[in-house]
Amino acid sequence: MNAYEEYMKQIVAPMRQELVGHGFKELTTEDAVREHVQTAEGLSLVVINSVCGCAAGLARPAAIEAVETTTAKPDHLVTVFAGQDQEATETMRGYFEDVPPSSPSMAFWKDGKLAYFIPREQIENFPKEAIVDHIQGVLEQLQGQ
């Protein structure tokens, strides 16, 4: 590992831990993504994490608050890290046909297909509370509540 890669690994560690510490499973390889997508039953919330400010100030906190305060909890919480785990992120994005790459973003995977997608454009410059409400509304709709 070169100095740049080591530096980035150290820098993003707390950004990874923020989600992992709240129950999200990191999918860091192509195989881990494929296994999850092909075997997960029920509803998965997939957070495509990023180092940007809107991930730190909005996406991660909103995702955490949304799942901690809703009764319509997803069956699985997973995350890939754009720009860090490139193969895993590209593999995950490959399952979202016709959705341009966007990070941070959130995907709702249900019954073997993409059920809903929240792109960066619906995260950046929105109040965290609006993003929480958006996530919870989607969870309620997809969980039939």
Side-chain angles (χ1 to χ4, degrees), residues 13-25 45-49 54-74 76-79 104-106 108 118 123 128-129 131-136 139:
M15 299 173 201
R16 292 178 183 276
Q17 185 56 38
E18 186 174 2
L19 290 173
V20 171
H22 286 90
F24 283 79
K25 178 182 177 184
L45 171 57
V46 181
V47 174
I48 293 125
N49 202 355
C54 65
L58 297 170
R60 291 191 301 267
I64 291 164
E65 183 176 330
V67 298
E68 288 183 347
T69 60
T70 187
T71 58
K73 299 205 183 296
H76 307 278
L77 301 171
V78 297
T79 181
S105 57
M106 297 175 203
F108 299 79
I118 300 175
I123 295 171
K128 183 184 84 166
E129 296 74 21
I131 303 163
V132 170
D133 289 346
H134 190 174
I135 296 165
Q136 288 181 337
L139 290 171

Side-chain angles (χ1 to χ4, degrees), residues 27 29-40 91-92 95:
L27 305 177
T29 66
E30 293 175 67
D31 289 342
V33 169
R34 284 192 190 99
E35 180 180 344
H36 178 79
V37 168
Q38 293 170 3
T39 64
T91 302
M92 183 63 78
Y95 290 102

Side-chain angles (χ1 to χ4, degrees), residues 75-140:
D75 302 293
H76 307 278
L77 301 171
V78 297
T79 181
V80 295
F81 208 120
Q84 302 304 308
D85 301 320
Q86 293 177 350
E87 293 84 12
T89 304
E90 288 175 23
T91 302
M92 183 63 78
R93 286 178 172 156
Y95 290 102
F96 310 152
E97 295 178 12
D98 303 321
V99 175
S102 176
S103 58
S105 57
M106 297 175 203
F108 299 79
W109 186 262
K110 186 175 183 178
D111 301 328
K113 63 183 180 198
L114 181 65
Y116 194 86
F117 192 82
I118 300 175
R120 177 186 179 117
E121 294 77 30
Q122 293 176 14
I123 295 171
E124 189 175 34
N125 297 320
F126 281 79
K128 183 184 84 166
E129 296 74 21
I131 303 163
V132 170
D133 289 346
H134 190 174
I135 296 165
Q136 288 181 337
V138 172
L139 290 171
E140 290 167 8

